[in-house]
Amino acid sequence: MDLALVLYPDMTALDLVGPYEVLAAQPDVTAHFVAATPDPVRCDSGLTIVPTTTFDALDRADLVVVPGGSGWARVLADGVVAAWLAGVHPTATWTASVCSGSTLLAQAGILDGRPATTHWALRDELAKLGAVVSTERVVVDGSVVTAAGVSAGIDMALTLAGRIWGDERAELTQLVIEYDPRPPYDSGSPDTASPELVAFARGVLTGS
């Protein structure tokens, strides 16, 4: 199985690395880090990832994963990622996104009229792009799987692992990576965080 992990400037590292750790460990998976050029790509936290191939060189994949990141608006304006997604999605078995990566799927026409999720601060933006926005952490609609913000990418990848390789393999993967979240705070959602914290975070994330 060819797994294409999309890279672009100012993407969020965990959006990519979380699903990568889950999916690349499965049997007979070949992971490709695909970008517009072969030049290293800097994530929004400073981590740099080197592509293994380019959009021009890779025209198909069985599974496509699109991360989000603080650079999502610039990537939308550029249009290069969406154009590649529009080309590879029709022959992909699965197309998935994490966080604001769903906006790129939407720009490619993949989410028109479909249920999808994204980071809580970008739900209105995703709706404007034609998706039927869900507040669920992971949404599966046919061959398209979307995840909410950042850490939800691990949930999405485990969901895919179960669909593709079976529940037992997915449970084994969860155990091996010791994915047993017990956060020290209960502020991981706008439903549980204080209104003041939600407002501040929204301003930081959207520039409003």
Side-chain angles (χ1 to χ4, degrees):
M1 171 179 283
D2 286 306
L3 165 63
L5 299 136
V6 176
L7 308 181
Y8 59 84
D10 291 323
M11 51 171 276
T12 296
L14 184 57
D15 284 16
L16 184 87
V17 175
Y20 167 76
E21 288 293 339
V22 171
L23 297 169
Q26 305 308 325
D28 301 318
V29 171
T30 301
H32 307 274
F33 294 94
V34 58
T37 74
D39 299 326
V41 177
R42 186 184 184 279
C43 298
D44 53 15
S45 60
L47 179 69
T48 299
I49 301 176
V50 179
T52 58
T53 187
T54 65
F55 295 144
D56 288 339
L58 188 70
D59 61 1
R60 64 160 304 280
D62 301 294
L63 171 55
V64 178
V65 175
V66 185
S70 61
W72 67 273
R74 290 189 298 276
V75 179
L76 277 180
D78 179 74
V80 172
V81 172
W84 183 78
L85 289 171
V88 299
H89 169 67
T91 58
T93 305
W94 297 95
T95 301
S97 68
V98 183
C99 195
S100 60
S102 58
T103 64
L104 301 175
L105 297 190
Q107 187 184 37
I110 296 168
L111 299 183
D112 288 349
R114 304 182 79 145
T117 190
T118 191
H119 191 286
W120 60 265
L122 294 176
R123 290 170 184 165
D124 289 346
E125 295 296 329
L126 185 60
K128 291 175 186 176
L129 291 167
V132 178
V133 178
S134 169
T135 60
E136 295 298 317
R137 191 160 170 85
V138 176
V139 173
V140 181
D141 184 59
S143 66
V144 179
V145 187
T146 53
V150 193
S151 63
I154 299 174
D155 300 59
M156 179 273 290
L158 286 169
T159 299
L160 273 171
R163 295 289 181 106
I164 299 169
W165 293 281
D167 292 338
E168 185 175 344
R169 182 74 194 189
E171 290 173 356
L172 173 63
T173 302
Q174 181 181 6
L175 177 60
V176 168
I177 65 173
E178 200 171 350
Y179 183 55
D180 185 24
R182 300 179 191 185
Y185 304 102
D186 189 23
S187 61
S189 151
D191 298 326
T192 57
S194 70
E196 296 79 12
L197 187 59
V198 172
F200 178 78
R202 188 184 300 277
V204 170
L205 292 166
T206 64
S208 59

